[in-house]
Amino acid sequence: MTATAPTIEVLRQHLIDPEICIRCNTCEETCPVDAVTHDSRNYVVDAAKCNFCNDCISPCPTGAIDNWRQVDRAAPYTLAEQLSWDSLPVQQALAAGTSAEMPTDVARITAVATAGQGGDVIPPWSAAQPCVNLYTVDRPAIATVSGNRRLTADGATSDIRHLVLDFGGAAFPVLEGQTIGILPPGVDAGGKPHRLRLYSVASPRDGERPRYNNLSLTVKRVTADHDGAPVAGVASNYLCDLNKGDEVRVVGPYGTTFLMPNHPGSSLLMVCTGTGSAPMRAMTERRRRRVALREGGTLMLFFGARSPGELPYFGPLQKLPGEFIDVNFAFSRVPGERRQYVQDRIRARGDDVARLLGDDNCYIYICGLKGMEKGVDEAFRDACRNHGKDWDALLPALRAQGRYHVETY
Ligand code: NAP
């Protein structure tokens, strides 16, 4: 029988970032249960009093109030500890037996996926500190399926699903852009346990449903291999067929660079195809939930799919206001219409793309089919050339500044 990590009761502890806080007292005045207090040094939140009403979040002028750490409910950070901080502590591993070492499978898959960004890059300077490797193949977390809904239209050829996993009492903190590993049950043709498969998290850091310990994935049922020959993908079919209440073995989380910037005013230029939309959904939803804070910055999305019916999150994306996000769809197989790829749409929007590429506050994310890398690269080069910029000089600078992130399979 597979060993599982011992679970603890997890508390999402509300904390204030002492580095950003301007000590304006707004949070203390707003809190209806007197959970916020201060001394001459720091403003702090009493874990025993905070009822997660979030009344203090939007009035905070800096966002210092919107910080959270998953902790053992039996041992949250005390007021004395918080009052002594100069900066927030990094998220601690909560599960026993955690390791800083990335499993070989994950390292191999990640190396292939990020080859298009030129190997190792750094995360955005303001990205939150990610947790990695909290759960291993020997000690996976056990999640329970709390939702499994088809995203593609009834007549669509692909079955793409939005899967919600609930971690109950197990701490599984993730950031937008991170991936998790799924361990399908059973053994392969050689009699060995199936290898783990990686999926990008599609929900923001506070969960698919805020204040629930859950996350979501975007999973396409694989029915053919790269050459079109029929094949049933082991993990994708397992996940797509799961029912509410089923248990899933999960490892990770993984990923320390494909992360979003946290600073107000930062912009996101996102390019994806198909289920490569998962991290873009997570980042967009993070920003949508903070829209009342008026942090500024532009969101621009290029999203490629065969047709509207094959496109994950098509309905919700269409409902987002243009002033919040600039969405550009590219459909390649709509009968009677010219084939459009994301790179065609990037060229058509060359003015805005060139402006964002040249903006030090804009971070670029590309996720989906490996085949699109070349086309996107050429479209960026064209946009730059038409606006007096040199893409070949700009790209290394983007990588060095943690502004260019690629995950393609
Ligand atoms: P898909 O439906 O096969 O294709 C999506 C769109 O991309 C189609 O319009 C397709 O056009 C177009 N396309 C094909 N080749 C292209 C190229 N060279 N340049 C630009 N566009 C091109 O996509 P999918 O099956 O969902 O694949 C998504 C990829 O994302 C997979 O490789 C998956 O592994 C990866 N991914 C998934 C996750 C996740 O969490 N699920 C996360 C990260 C990445 P055509 O009509 O020509 O085919």
Side-chain angles (χ1 to χ4, degrees), residues 281-292:
R281 178 188 185 263
M283 293 185 190
T284 303
E285 184 59 10
R286 165 76 180 165
R287 286 293 178 94
R288 194 189 64 79
R289 289 181 190 176
R290 295 172 66 81
V291 86

Side-chain angles (χ1 to χ4, degrees), residues 158 160 179 198-201 217-220 226 272-279 304-307 310 312 330-333 339-343 367-373 375-376 407-409:
S158 53
I160 302 182
T179 55
L198 288 186
Y199 290 89
S200 297
V201 175
L217 304 176
T218 315
V219 184
K220 176 174 176 175
H226 276 302
C272 64
T273 52
T275 52
S277 55
R306 295 175 184 185
S307 67
E310 306 273 348
F331 298 119
S332 57
R333 301 191 197 184
R339 187 178 278 259
Q340 283 271 300
Y341 284 152
V342 281
Q343 49 268 42
C367 190
L369 293 168
K370 206 158 230 355
M372 75 168 166
E373 268 175 27
V376 170
E407 248 179 47
T408 51
Y409 298 95

Side-chain angles (χ1 to χ4, degrees), residues 137-357:
V137 174
D138 293 335
R139 291 176 176 277
I142 304 297
T144 307
V145 176
S146 58
N148 181 354
R149 139 176 95 81
R150 183 172 158 121
L151 292 170
T152 37
D154 286 345
T157 52
S158 53
D159 181 14
I160 302 182
R161 304 213 154 236
H162 183 70
L163 201 73
V164 183
L165 300 180
D166 197 298
F167 286 86
F172 206 102
V174 290
L175 292 173
E176 306 80 9
Q178 282 196 293
T179 55
I180 64 169
I182 297 290
L183 297 174
V187 293
D188 62 20
K192 291 193 177 146
H194 285 301
R195 284 183 295 105
L196 68 84
R197 308 304 208 271
L198 288 186
Y199 290 89
S200 297
V201 175
S203 48
R205 66 192 73 179
D206 54 348
E208 175 64 20
R209 190 166 171 200
R211 288 190 260 154
Y212 284 73
N213 190 18
N214 63 11
L215 57 76
S216 62
L217 304 176
T218 315
V219 184
K220 176 174 176 175
R221 187 188 295 278
V222 174
T223 54
D225 66 15
H226 276 302
D227 302 320
V231 61
V234 171
S236 69
N237 279 275
Y238 161 64
L239 289 171
C240 289
D241 288 337
L242 286 171
N243 293 310
K244 227 170 162 176
D246 287 346
E247 290 190 340
V248 186
R249 293 180 305 150
V250 186
V251 296
Y254 307 114
T256 55
T257 59
F258 195 107
L259 302 173
M260 66 187 293
N262 269 339
H263 61 283
S266 51
S267 297
L268 309 179
L269 173 56
M270 302 173 276
V271 185
C272 64
T273 52
T275 52
S277 55
M280 314 313 188
R281 178 188 185 263
M283 293 185 190
T284 303
E285 184 59 10
R286 165 76 180 165
R287 286 293 178 94
R288 194 189 64 79
R289 289 181 190 176
R290 295 172 66 81
V291 86
L293 299 174
R294 297 182 186 281
E295 293 175 320
T298 299
L299 267 61
M300 190 174 200
L301 172 69
F302 292 91
F303 197 160
R306 295 175 184 185
S307 67
E310 306 273 348
L311 186 121
Y313 309 115
F314 182 61
L317 268 177
Q318 279 195 314
K319 290 192 192 117
L320 293 173
E323 60 272 19
F324 168 66
I325 183 169
D326 183 349
V327 182
N328 299 264
F329 296 123
F331 298 119
S332 57
R333 301 191 197 184
V334 176
E337 284 184 21
R338 197 164 58 86
R339 187 178 278 259
Q340 283 271 300
Y341 284 152
V342 281
Q343 49 268 42
D344 301 319
R345 299 295 305 140
I346 290 172
R347 281 198 181 83
R349 297 294 310 277
D351 295 356
D352 293 304
V353 170
R355 180 178 49 76
L356 285 172
L357 291 175

